[in-house]
Amino acid sequence: MNKKAVLEGILFVVGEEGLTALELQRILEVSEYEFQKLISDLDDDYKRDDRGIQIAFLGNRYKLVTKQEHKSYYQKLVTIEENRKLSDAALETLAIIAYNNPITRVQIDEIRGISSIHHVRRLLLKNLIKEVGKSDLPGKPTLYGVTKDFLDYFGLSSIDDLPKIKMEVTEDEKQVDLFESKYKEDL
């Protein structure tokens, strides 16, 4: 198995969160020396002119990032993205963030049941959400919240103006609640 290719895939999958050297060593099941050789070889591959990404070591984590010299093209992409409407999945992600902020991307994924990294990135580019801090959870994941632009776009003066969500309780959930309340009475 080509561990350098596996390393590249892992860095792609984790996206902006990145991973520490120790985490990557454990996942790849390699020694520190082997890891340093793999990361160095992969970094050399990315340094070629015909590559659009590179490896960055930021915040004690390795991650894939775009090359700075291509920045003007990425800015054009942002302009194109700003003019596009949000997909249903992006709106769903935005609603989850609005009603639960601050929230981590992993928590968003758990609520949606599917990865939301692409939608989070688009929402960041559109300035509808922003990084509001770091969670106390292991790994200190980024917390996201909505921006003033979000409030302006939806005509809200504050996050408290969001429509209230009425939760419907199914018969099964009612039975569970009755059971739990009876159980507590018997104790």
Side-chain angles (χ1 to χ4, degrees), residues 18-75:
L19 289 171
T20 66
L22 188 57
E23 291 168 329
L24 288 165
Q25 287 172 44
R26 287 182 184 152
I27 293 167
L28 293 167
E29 299 174 342
V30 296
S31 68
E32 182 179 356
Y33 174 80
E34 291 171 299
F35 170 73
Q36 290 302 324
K37 173 87 171 103
L38 287 170
I39 200 80
S40 177
D41 288 350
L42 187 58
D43 189 45
D44 288 344
D45 290 349
Y46 285 134
K47 286 182 179 173
R48 296 190 342 234
D49 287 341
D50 63 342
R51 302 304 294 264
I53 56 176
Q54 61 189 5
I55 296 175
F57 186 69
L58 304 167
N60 203 30
R61 294 176 169 277
Y62 289 96
K63 52 184 87 175
L64 294 178
V65 297
T66 55
K67 290 188 173 178
Q68 186 66 25
E69 59 263 29
H70 302 158
K71 182 179 178 180
S72 65
Y73 295 99
Y74 306 136
Q75 288 172 330

Short mmCIF file of all heavy atoms in Angstrom, two decimals, residues 18-75:
data_model
loop_
_atom_site.label_atom_id
_atom_site.label_comp_id
_atom_site.label_asym_id
_atom_site.label_seq_id
_atom_site.Cartn_x
_atom_site.Cartn_y
_atom_site.Cartn_z
N GLY A 18 -7.30 19.72 9.89
CA GLY A 18 -5.94 19.22 9.94
C GLY A 18 -5.76 18.17 11.02
O GLY A 18 -6.67 17.87 11.79
N LEU A 19 -4.57 17.58 11.08
CA LEU A 19 -4.22 16.59 12.09
C LEU A 19 -2.79 16.82 12.56
O LEU A 19 -1.95 17.30 11.79
CB LEU A 19 -4.33 15.16 11.52
CG LEU A 19 -5.74 14.64 11.24
CD1 LEU A 19 -5.67 13.32 10.47
CD2 LEU A 19 -6.51 14.44 12.53
N THR A 20 -2.50 16.45 13.79
CA THR A 20 -1.14 16.57 14.32
C THR A 20 -0.29 15.43 13.76
O THR A 20 -0.80 14.43 13.26
CB THR A 20 -1.13 16.49 15.86
OG1 THR A 20 -1.54 15.18 16.25
CG2 THR A 20 -2.02 17.56 16.48
N ALA A 21 1.01 15.60 13.89
CA ALA A 21 1.94 14.56 13.44
C ALA A 21 1.67 13.25 14.17
O ALA A 21 1.64 12.18 13.55
CB ALA A 21 3.38 15.01 13.66
N LEU A 22 1.42 13.34 15.47
CA LEU A 22 1.17 12.14 16.25
C LEU A 22 -0.11 11.42 15.80
O LEU A 22 -0.14 10.20 15.68
CB LEU A 22 1.09 12.48 17.74
CG LEU A 22 1.03 11.31 18.71
CD1 LEU A 22 2.22 10.38 18.53
CD2 LEU A 22 0.99 11.81 20.14
N GLU A 23 -1.16 12.21 15.52
CA GLU A 23 -2.41 11.61 15.04
C GLU A 23 -2.18 10.92 13.70
O GLU A 23 -2.66 9.79 13.48
CB GLU A 23 -3.49 12.69 14.89
CG GLU A 23 -3.97 13.23 16.21
CD GLU A 23 -4.83 14.48 16.07
OE1 GLU A 23 -4.62 15.28 15.13
OE2 GLU A 23 -5.72 14.66 16.93
N LEU A 24 -1.44 11.56 12.81
CA LEU A 24 -1.16 10.97 11.50
C LEU A 24 -0.30 9.71 11.63
O LEU A 24 -0.54 8.72 10.94
CB LEU A 24 -0.50 12.00 10.58
CG LEU A 24 -1.44 13.11 10.09
CD1 LEU A 24 -0.66 14.28 9.52
CD2 LEU A 24 -2.42 12.55 9.07
N GLN A 25 0.68 9.75 12.53
CA GLN A 25 1.52 8.56 12.75
C GLN A 25 0.68 7.38 13.21
O GLN A 25 0.87 6.25 12.75
CB GLN A 25 2.60 8.86 13.79
CG GLN A 25 3.71 9.74 13.30
CD GLN A 25 4.63 10.14 14.44
OE1 GLN A 25 5.01 9.32 15.27
NE2 GLN A 25 4.97 11.43 14.49
N ARG A 26 -0.25 7.64 14.12
CA ARG A 26 -1.10 6.57 14.65
C ARG A 26 -2.01 6.00 13.56
O ARG A 26 -2.18 4.80 13.46
CB ARG A 26 -1.94 7.08 15.81
CG ARG A 26 -1.15 7.29 17.07
CD ARG A 26 -2.04 7.75 18.21
NE ARG A 26 -1.25 8.03 19.39
CZ ARG A 26 -1.60 8.89 20.31
NH1 ARG A 26 -2.73 9.57 20.21
NH2 ARG A 26 -0.83 9.11 21.35
N ILE A 27 -2.60 6.89 12.77
CA ILE A 27 -3.51 6.44 11.71
C ILE A 27 -2.75 5.62 10.67
O ILE A 27 -3.21 4.56 10.24
CB ILE A 27 -4.20 7.65 11.05
CG1 ILE A 27 -5.15 8.33 12.03
CG2 ILE A 27 -4.95 7.22 9.78
CD1 ILE A 27 -5.65 9.69 11.59
N LEU A 28 -1.58 6.12 10.27
CA LEU A 28 -0.79 5.45 9.24
C LEU A 28 -0.01 4.25 9.78
O LEU A 28 0.52 3.46 9.01
CB LEU A 28 0.19 6.44 8.60
CG LEU A 28 -0.44 7.56 7.79
CD1 LEU A 28 0.58 8.64 7.47
CD2 LEU A 28 -1.05 7.00 6.51
N GLU A 29 0.07 4.16 11.11
CA GLU A 29 0.82 3.09 11.77
C GLU A 29 2.27 3.07 11.33
O GLU A 29 2.81 2.08 10.87
CB GLU A 29 0.16 1.72 11.51
CG GLU A 29 -1.25 1.64 12.04
CD GLU A 29 -1.97 0.36 11.66
OE1 GLU A 29 -1.54 -0.33 10.72
OE2 GLU A 29 -2.98 0.05 12.32
N VAL A 30 2.90 4.27 11.46
CA VAL A 30 4.31 4.43 11.08
C VAL A 30 5.06 5.11 12.22
O VAL A 30 4.46 5.76 13.08
CB VAL A 30 4.47 5.26 9.78
CG1 VAL A 30 3.85 4.56 8.59
CG2 VAL A 30 3.90 6.66 9.94
N SER A 31 6.38 4.97 12.19
CA SER A 31 7.22 5.63 13.18
C SER A 31 7.34 7.11 12.86
O SER A 31 6.95 7.56 11.77
CB SER A 31 8.62 5.01 13.17
OG SER A 31 9.28 5.33 11.95
N GLU A 32 7.90 7.86 13.79
CA GLU A 32 8.10 9.29 13.57
C GLU A 32 9.00 9.51 12.35
O GLU A 32 8.75 10.38 11.52
CB GLU A 32 8.71 9.93 14.81
CG GLU A 32 8.91 11.42 14.67
CD GLU A 32 9.50 12.08 15.91
OE1 GLU A 32 9.68 11.39 16.93
OE2 GLU A 32 9.77 13.28 15.83
N TYR A 33 10.07 8.71 12.24
CA TYR A 33 10.99 8.83 11.10
C TYR A 33 10.25 8.56 9.78
O TYR A 33 10.39 9.32 8.82
CB TYR A 33 12.16 7.86 11.27
CG TYR A 33 13.06 7.83 10.05
CD1 TYR A 33 14.01 8.84 9.84
CD2 TYR A 33 12.93 6.82 9.10
CE1 TYR A 33 14.81 8.83 8.72
CE2 TYR A 33 13.74 6.81 7.96
CZ TYR A 33 14.67 7.81 7.77
OH TYR A 33 15.47 7.80 6.65
N GLU A 34 9.47 7.48 9.74
CA GLU A 34 8.73 7.15 8.51
C GLU A 34 7.73 8.24 8.17
O GLU A 34 7.56 8.61 7.00
CB GLU A 34 7.98 5.81 8.67
CG GLU A 34 8.89 4.60 8.74
CD GLU A 34 8.10 3.35 9.13
OE1 GLU A 34 7.54 3.35 10.25
OE2 GLU A 34 8.07 2.41 8.31
N PHE A 35 7.07 8.78 9.19
CA PHE A 35 6.11 9.86 8.95
C PHE A 35 6.80 11.08 8.36
O PHE A 35 6.32 11.68 7.40
CB PHE A 35 5.37 10.24 10.23
CG PHE A 35 4.56 11.49 10.06
CD1 PHE A 35 3.38 11.48 9.31
CD2 PHE A 35 4.99 12.69 10.59
CE1 PHE A 35 2.64 12.63 9.12
CE2 PHE A 35 4.26 13.85 10.40
CZ PHE A 35 3.09 13.82 9.66
N GLN A 36 7.93 11.47 8.96
CA GLN A 36 8.65 12.64 8.45
C GLN A 36 9.08 12.45 7.00
O GLN A 36 9.03 13.39 6.20
CB GLN A 36 9.88 12.95 9.34
CG GLN A 36 9.52 13.48 10.71
CD GLN A 36 8.69 14.75 10.66
OE1 GLN A 36 8.86 15.60 9.81
NE2 GLN A 36 7.75 14.87 11.59
N LYS A 37 9.46 11.24 6.64
CA LYS A 37 9.83 10.93 5.25
C LYS A 37 8.61 11.06 4.34
O LYS A 37 8.67 11.67 3.27
CB LYS A 37 10.42 9.52 5.18
CG LYS A 37 10.70 9.00 3.79
CD LYS A 37 12.06 9.42 3.30
CE LYS A 37 12.43 8.73 2.01
NZ LYS A 37 12.31 9.57 0.84
N LEU A 38 7.47 10.51 4.76
CA LEU A 38 6.24 10.58 3.96
C LEU A 38 5.78 12.02 3.76
O LEU A 38 5.46 12.43 2.64
CB LEU A 38 5.11 9.78 4.64
CG LEU A 38 5.19 8.28 4.60
CD1 LEU A 38 4.15 7.67 5.52
CD2 LEU A 38 5.01 7.78 3.18
N ILE A 39 5.76 12.80 4.84
CA ILE A 39 5.27 14.17 4.75
C ILE A 39 6.21 15.02 3.91
O ILE A 39 5.79 15.87 3.12
CB ILE A 39 5.00 14.79 6.15
CG1 ILE A 39 4.05 15.99 6.06
CG2 ILE A 39 6.26 15.21 6.85
CD1 ILE A 39 2.63 15.68 5.93
N SER A 40 7.51 14.77 4.04
CA SER A 40 8.51 15.50 3.25
C SER A 40 8.38 15.17 1.76
O SER A 40 8.43 16.07 0.91
CB SER A 40 9.91 15.15 3.76
OG SER A 40 10.89 15.79 2.97
N ASP A 41 8.21 13.88 1.44
CA ASP A 41 8.04 13.47 0.04
C ASP A 41 6.78 14.07 -0.57
O ASP A 41 6.78 14.55 -1.70
CB ASP A 41 8.00 11.94 -0.08
CG ASP A 41 9.34 11.29 0.16
OD1 ASP A 41 10.37 12.01 0.24
OD2 ASP A 41 9.37 10.04 0.29
N LEU A 42 5.69 14.05 0.18
CA LEU A 42 4.43 14.60 -0.31
C LEU A 42 4.56 16.12 -0.48
O LEU A 42 4.10 16.69 -1.49
CB LEU A 42 3.29 14.26 0.65
CG LEU A 42 1.89 14.64 0.19
CD1 LEU A 42 1.53 14.00 -1.15
CD2 LEU A 42 0.86 14.24 1.25
N ASP A 43 5.21 16.77 0.46
CA ASP A 43 5.43 18.21 0.37
C ASP A 43 6.26 18.55 -0.87
O ASP A 43 5.97 19.52 -1.57
CB ASP A 43 6.12 18.71 1.64
CG ASP A 43 6.19 20.22 1.72
OD1 ASP A 43 5.17 20.88 1.43
OD2 ASP A 43 7.27 20.74 2.07
N ASP A 44 7.29 17.74 -1.16
CA ASP A 44 8.10 17.96 -2.37
C ASP A 44 7.25 17.84 -3.63
O ASP A 44 7.42 18.61 -4.58
CB ASP A 44 9.26 16.96 -2.42
CG ASP A 44 10.34 17.24 -1.40
OD1 ASP A 44 10.37 18.38 -0.85
OD2 ASP A 44 11.15 16.33 -1.13
N ASP A 45 6.34 16.87 -3.65
CA ASP A 45 5.43 16.72 -4.80
C ASP A 45 4.61 17.98 -5.01
O ASP A 45 4.42 18.44 -6.14
CB ASP A 45 4.47 15.54 -4.60
CG ASP A 45 5.14 14.18 -4.66
OD1 ASP A 45 6.33 14.11 -5.06
OD2 ASP A 45 4.47 13.20 -4.28
N TYR A 46 4.11 18.56 -3.93
CA TYR A 46 3.26 19.74 -4.02
C TYR A 46 4.03 21.01 -4.36
O TYR A 46 3.43 21.98 -4.80
CB TYR A 46 2.49 19.95 -2.71
CG TYR A 46 1.36 18.99 -2.51
CD1 TYR A 46 1.18 18.36 -1.29
CD2 TYR A 46 0.46 18.71 -3.53
CE1 TYR A 46 0.14 17.47 -1.10
CE2 TYR A 46 -0.58 17.83 -3.35
CZ TYR A 46 -0.74 17.22 -2.12
OH TYR A 46 -1.77 16.34 -1.93
N LYS A 47 5.33 21.02 -4.17
CA LYS A 47 6.12 22.22 -4.47
C LYS A 47 6.32 22.43 -5.97
O LYS A 47 6.74 23.50 -6.39
CB LYS A 47 7.46 22.15 -3.75
CG LYS A 47 7.32 22.41 -2.26
CD LYS A 47 8.64 22.40 -1.55
CE LYS A 47 8.40 22.68 -0.07
NZ LYS A 47 9.58 22.55 0.73
N ARG A 48 5.97 21.43 -6.76
CA ARG A 48 6.10 21.57 -8.21
C ARG A 48 5.13 22.64 -8.72
O ARG A 48 4.07 22.87 -8.14
CB ARG A 48 5.83 20.24 -8.91
CG ARG A 48 6.84 19.16 -8.54
CD ARG A 48 6.73 17.91 -9.40
NE ARG A 48 5.48 17.75 -10.11
CZ ARG A 48 4.71 16.67 -10.05
NH1 ARG A 48 5.05 15.65 -9.30
NH2 ARG A 48 3.60 16.60 -10.74
N ASP A 49 5.49 23.29 -9.82
CA ASP A 49 4.66 24.36 -10.39
C ASP A 49 3.31 23.87 -10.91
O ASP A 49 2.38 24.67 -11.01
CB ASP A 49 5.40 25.05 -11.54
CG ASP A 49 6.54 25.93 -11.05
OD1 ASP A 49 6.53 26.29 -9.86
OD2 ASP A 49 7.41 26.27 -11.87
N ASP A 50 3.22 22.60 -11.23
CA ASP A 50 1.96 22.09 -11.81
C ASP A 50 0.97 21.61 -10.74
O ASP A 50 -0.01 20.95 -11.05
CB ASP A 50 2.23 20.98 -12.82
CG ASP A 50 2.87 19.74 -12.20
OD1 ASP A 50 3.43 19.83 -11.09
OD2 ASP A 50 2.82 18.67 -12.83
N ARG A 51 1.20 21.98 -9.50
CA ARG A 51 0.29 21.61 -8.40
C ARG A 51 -0.36 22.86 -7.84
O ARG A 51 0.25 23.91 -7.74
CB ARG A 51 1.05 20.88 -7.28
CG ARG A 51 1.79 19.62 -7.70
CD ARG A 51 0.89 18.58 -8.39
NE ARG A 51 -0.09 18.01 -7.53
CZ ARG A 51 0.03 16.86 -6.87
NH1 ARG A 51 1.13 16.16 -6.98
NH2 ARG A 51 -0.95 16.44 -6.11
N GLY A 52 -1.63 22.73 -7.45
CA GLY A 52 -2.39 23.89 -6.96
C GLY A 52 -2.54 23.94 -5.45
O GLY A 52 -3.08 24.90 -4.92
N ILE A 53 -2.09 22.91 -4.76
CA ILE A 53 -2.19 22.89 -3.31
C ILE A 53 -0.83 22.62 -2.70
O ILE A 53 0.11 22.24 -3.40
CB ILE A 53 -3.23 21.86 -2.81
CG1 ILE A 53 -2.91 20.45 -3.33
CG2 ILE A 53 -4.63 22.26 -3.19
CD1 ILE A 53 -3.84 19.38 -2.81
N GLN A 54 -0.75 22.81 -1.42
CA GLN A 54 0.49 22.56 -0.69
C GLN A 54 0.14 22.10 0.72
O GLN A 54 -1.00 22.23 1.16
CB GLN A 54 1.35 23.81 -0.64
CG GLN A 54 0.70 24.98 0.06
CD GLN A 54 1.47 26.27 -0.10
OE1 GLN A 54 2.46 26.33 -0.82
NE2 GLN A 54 1.03 27.31 0.57
N ILE A 55 1.13 21.58 1.40
CA ILE A 55 0.94 21.18 2.79
C ILE A 55 1.34 22.35 3.68
O ILE A 55 2.39 22.95 3.48
CB ILE A 55 1.78 19.94 3.14
CG1 ILE A 55 1.31 18.74 2.32
CG2 ILE A 55 1.69 19.64 4.63
CD1 ILE A 55 2.15 17.50 2.51
N ALA A 56 0.49 22.66 4.63
CA ALA A 56 0.80 23.72 5.60
C ALA A 56 0.84 23.08 6.99
O ALA A 56 0.12 22.13 7.27
CB ALA A 56 -0.26 24.81 5.55
N PHE A 57 1.69 23.62 7.83
CA PHE A 57 1.77 23.20 9.23
C PHE A 57 1.38 24.41 10.05
O PHE A 57 2.17 25.31 10.30
CB PHE A 57 3.19 22.72 9.55
CG PHE A 57 3.33 22.15 10.93
CD1 PHE A 57 2.74 20.94 11.27
CD2 PHE A 57 4.05 22.82 11.91
CE1 PHE A 57 2.87 20.40 12.53
CE2 PHE A 57 4.19 22.30 13.19
CZ PHE A 57 3.59 21.08 13.50
N LEU A 58 0.09 24.45 10.42
CA LEU A 58 -0.47 25.61 11.12
C LEU A 58 -1.14 25.14 12.40
O LEU A 58 -1.90 24.18 12.39
CB LEU A 58 -1.50 26.31 10.23
CG LEU A 58 -1.01 26.75 8.85
CD1 LEU A 58 -2.18 27.13 7.96
CD2 LEU A 58 -0.05 27.92 8.99
N GLY A 59 -0.88 25.82 13.48
CA GLY A 59 -1.49 25.46 14.74
C GLY A 59 -1.15 24.05 15.17
O GLY A 59 -1.99 23.33 15.71
N ASN A 60 0.08 23.62 14.89
CA ASN A 60 0.56 22.28 15.25
C ASN A 60 -0.17 21.18 14.50
O ASN A 60 -0.24 20.04 14.95
CB ASN A 60 0.46 22.07 16.77
CG ASN A 60 1.41 21.00 17.26
OD1 ASN A 60 2.47 20.80 16.69
ND2 ASN A 60 1.02 20.29 18.30
N ARG A 61 -0.77 21.53 13.35
CA ARG A 61 -1.51 20.56 12.56
C ARG A 61 -1.11 20.66 11.09
O ARG A 61 -0.85 21.75 10.58
CB ARG A 61 -3.02 20.82 12.68
CG ARG A 61 -3.54 20.58 14.07
CD ARG A 61 -5.01 20.95 14.19
NE ARG A 61 -5.54 20.48 15.45
CZ ARG A 61 -5.97 19.23 15.67
NH1 ARG A 61 -5.96 18.36 14.71
NH2 ARG A 61 -6.42 18.89 16.85
N TYR A 62 -1.08 19.50 10.45
CA TYR A 62 -0.84 19.45 9.01
C TYR A 62 -2.18 19.53 8.30
O TYR A 62 -3.15 18.88 8.69
CB TYR A 62 -0.15 18.14 8.62
CG TYR A 62 1.29 18.07 9.07
CD1 TYR A 62 1.64 17.44 10.26
CD2 TYR A 62 2.30 18.63 8.31
CE1 TYR A 62 2.96 17.37 10.69
CE2 TYR A 62 3.63 18.57 8.71
CZ TYR A 62 3.95 17.94 9.90
OH TYR A 62 5.26 17.87 10.31
N LYS A 63 -2.22 20.33 7.23
CA LYS A 63 -3.43 20.44 6.43
C LYS A 63 -3.06 20.82 5.00
O LYS A 63 -1.97 21.33 4.76
CB LYS A 63 -4.41 21.43 7.03
CG LYS A 63 -3.84 22.80 7.33
CD LYS A 63 -4.82 23.72 8.01
CE LYS A 63 -4.78 23.54 9.49
NZ LYS A 63 -5.58 24.45 10.26
N LEU A 64 -3.98 20.56 4.10
CA LEU A 64 -3.79 20.97 2.71
C LEU A 64 -4.39 22.36 2.54
O LEU A 64 -5.50 22.62 3.00
CB LEU A 64 -4.50 19.99 1.76
CG LEU A 64 -3.95 18.57 1.72
CD1 LEU A 64 -4.78 17.70 0.78
CD2 LEU A 64 -2.49 18.56 1.27
N VAL A 65 -3.64 23.22 1.86
CA VAL A 65 -4.10 24.59 1.60
C VAL A 65 -3.78 24.94 0.14
O VAL A 65 -2.94 24.30 -0.49
CB VAL A 65 -3.46 25.62 2.56
CG1 VAL A 65 -3.83 25.35 4.00
CG2 VAL A 65 -1.94 25.65 2.40
N THR A 66 -4.44 25.97 -0.36
CA THR A 66 -4.16 26.43 -1.71
C THR A 66 -2.88 27.27 -1.71
O THR A 66 -2.48 27.83 -0.69
CB THR A 66 -5.33 27.28 -2.25
OG1 THR A 66 -5.58 28.34 -1.34
CG2 THR A 66 -6.57 26.42 -2.42
N LYS A 67 -2.27 27.36 -2.89
CA LYS A 67 -1.04 28.13 -3.01
C LYS A 67 -1.37 29.62 -3.07
O LYS A 67 -2.29 30.04 -3.77
CB LYS A 67 -0.27 27.71 -4.25
CG LYS A 67 0.34 26.32 -4.11
CD LYS A 67 1.25 26.00 -5.27
CE LYS A 67 1.98 24.69 -5.02
NZ LYS A 67 2.83 24.33 -6.14
N GLN A 68 -0.60 30.39 -2.35
CA GLN A 68 -0.80 31.84 -2.27
C GLN A 68 -0.70 32.51 -3.63
O GLN A 68 -1.43 33.45 -3.91
CB GLN A 68 0.24 32.43 -1.29
CG GLN A 68 0.06 33.90 -1.01
CD GLN A 68 -1.22 34.23 -0.26
OE1 GLN A 68 -1.76 33.40 0.44
NE2 GLN A 68 -1.70 35.44 -0.44
N GLU A 69 0.17 32.00 -4.49
CA GLU A 69 0.36 32.65 -5.79
C GLU A 69 -0.85 32.51 -6.72
O GLU A 69 -0.93 33.17 -7.75
CB GLU A 69 1.64 32.14 -6.49
CG GLU A 69 1.68 30.65 -6.74
CD GLU A 69 2.44 29.89 -5.67
OE1 GLU A 69 2.48 30.33 -4.50
OE2 GLU A 69 2.98 28.82 -6.00
N HIS A 70 -1.82 31.67 -6.35
CA HIS A 70 -3.04 31.50 -7.16
C HIS A 70 -4.22 32.29 -6.59
O HIS A 70 -5.35 32.15 -7.04
CB HIS A 70 -3.42 30.01 -7.23
CG HIS A 70 -2.33 29.16 -7.81
ND1 HIS A 70 -2.26 27.81 -7.58
CD2 HIS A 70 -1.28 29.45 -8.60
CE1 HIS A 70 -1.22 27.31 -8.21
NE2 HIS A 70 -0.60 28.29 -8.84
N LYS A 71 -3.95 33.12 -5.60
CA LYS A 71 -4.98 33.83 -4.85
C LYS A 71 -5.95 34.61 -5.74
O LYS A 71 -7.16 34.60 -5.51
CB LYS A 71 -4.33 34.77 -3.85
CG LYS A 71 -5.30 35.52 -2.97
CD LYS A 71 -4.56 36.41 -1.98
CE LYS A 71 -5.54 37.19 -1.15
NZ LYS A 71 -4.85 38.06 -0.21
N SER A 72 -5.47 35.25 -6.78
CA SER A 72 -6.35 36.07 -7.63
C SER A 72 -7.43 35.22 -8.29
O SER A 72 -8.56 35.68 -8.48
CB SER A 72 -5.54 36.83 -8.68
OG SER A 72 -4.92 35.93 -9.59
N TYR A 73 -7.12 33.98 -8.61
CA TYR A 73 -8.11 33.09 -9.21
C TYR A 73 -9.16 32.65 -8.19
O TYR A 73 -10.33 32.54 -8.50
CB TYR A 73 -7.43 31.86 -9.83
CG TYR A 73 -6.54 32.22 -10.98
CD1 TYR A 73 -5.16 32.35 -10.81
CD2 TYR A 73 -7.07 32.47 -12.24
CE1 TYR A 73 -4.34 32.70 -11.85
CE2 TYR A 73 -6.24 32.83 -13.30
CZ TYR A 73 -4.88 32.94 -13.10
OH TYR A 73 -4.08 33.29 -14.14
N TYR A 74 -8.71 32.41 -6.97
CA TYR A 74 -9.65 32.01 -5.92
C TYR A 74 -10.60 33.15 -5.59
O TYR A 74 -11.76 32.93 -5.27
CB TYR A 74 -8.90 31.54 -4.67
CG TYR A 74 -7.90 30.45 -4.95
CD1 TYR A 74 -6.63 30.47 -4.40
CD2 TYR A 74 -8.21 29.40 -5.81
CE1 TYR A 74 -5.70 29.47 -4.67
CE2 TYR A 74 -7.29 28.40 -6.09
CZ TYR A 74 -6.05 28.44 -5.52
OH TYR A 74 -5.14 27.46 -5.79
N GLN A 75 -10.11 34.38 -5.67
CA GLN A 75 -10.97 35.53 -5.43
C GLN A 75 -12.06 35.62 -6.49
O GLN A 75 -13.19 36.00 -6.19
CB GLN A 75 -10.14 36.82 -5.39
CG GLN A 75 -9.30 36.91 -4.13
CD GLN A 75 -8.32 38.07 -4.16
OE1 GLN A 75 -7.85 38.49 -5.20
NE2 GLN A 75 -8.01 38.58 -2.97
#
